[in-house]
Amino acid sequence: MTLALSACSSTGGKRAEEERARGAAGPAAVDTPRWKIAMVTHSGEGDTFWDIVRSGAEQAAAKDNIEFLYSHDKEAGKQAQLVQAAIDQGVDGLVVTLAKPDAMKAVVEKAVRAGIPVVTINSGQDRSKDYGALAHIGQDEVTAGEAVGEELNERGLTKALCVLHEQGNVGHEERCRGVRATFDGTVDNLYVDGTNMPAVESSLEAKLQSDEKVDSVVTLGAPFAATAVKAAKQAGSKAQVSTFDLNAQVVRALKDGELTFAVDQQPYLQGYQAVDLLWLYNYNATMLGGGQPVLTGPQVLTGDDAEALEEYTRRGTR
């Protein structure tokens, strides 16, 4: 079955589309040909993180006179099929994520053989160059995890729970490995089904009730932070909650003191730079990074940063 590239929002709905159209409105800043660039991510439905990535990409596309196509699927096999659909359309550039790199290897290499320039973002940093991508844009996940471990040390914590919400995601494993590398205490991994938030909540609550030594919960995505806070309250646990990534709810929780800190990898920048770099490559055969990753994080943010962040989260860029 041939899969067409989807233009639907990861949150869906006419309102989201209208907001994106307004954000990307305005004349192009260049008079280069109207190249077509596709972005295919491993996002599931309703993940606000990827709305921010997409917003950045669309802003760059509007500036660069690019026809931008976006599609996503959390299942690696289906994501690979969407990449194949982009190849079949003869796109002039391709942006992909490699959360489950083994499933994406063949189709990414096929795009490269077809002469389509590829940039990877967000996940798969270690495989990007091997698969023929021109650059990788994102944060080093191990380094980001190490920053979390150091932050937990500064807070005098002794036992952390690292909550992995997507089985097989290499970036998630790297984050928890990084925490473990620098944290002076102990780290337990807790695997949950990120597509079932009530189950995530009950798993966390049960773990916190059964192990009173856990004094820190680290979630690996912004949508799971509020659930962790709720689970800790229901379990009667005093564990501090921190998270990777931002959204408006996380910023409010930082401001209110419900979250201790968040690690931002600047997803808007990942989307924006990926499209802009492919435009630069098509226009001028230039590329940032020199074969090394172009890092967008990590940046540790606390309640002291919340007020300044609110403006950016309201407009969907942080």
Side-chain angles (χ1 to χ4, degrees), residues 231-305:
K233 289 178 179 177
Q234 292 177 167
S237 171
K238 294 183 179 180
Q240 297 181 17
V241 180
S242 56
T243 190
F244 285 80
D245 303 332
L246 288 181
N247 61 17
Q249 191 174 23
V250 164
V251 171
R252 287 194 298 271
L254 287 172
K255 187 175 182 179
D256 295 340
E258 291 185 329
L259 291 178
T260 54
F261 65 91
V263 180
D264 185 22
Q265 59 174 306
Q266 302 185 98
Y268 180 89
L269 192 59
Q270 293 177 17
Y272 189 98
Q273 288 290 351
V275 171
D276 212 34
L277 285 185
L278 285 170
W279 176 83
L280 282 166
Y281 184 80
N282 283 330
Y283 173 65
N284 203 45
T286 49
M287 183 57 56
L288 291 177
Q292 299 300 312
V294 179
L295 298 182
T296 63
Q299 181 181 20
V300 175
L301 301 169
T302 68
D304 293 338
D305 305 297

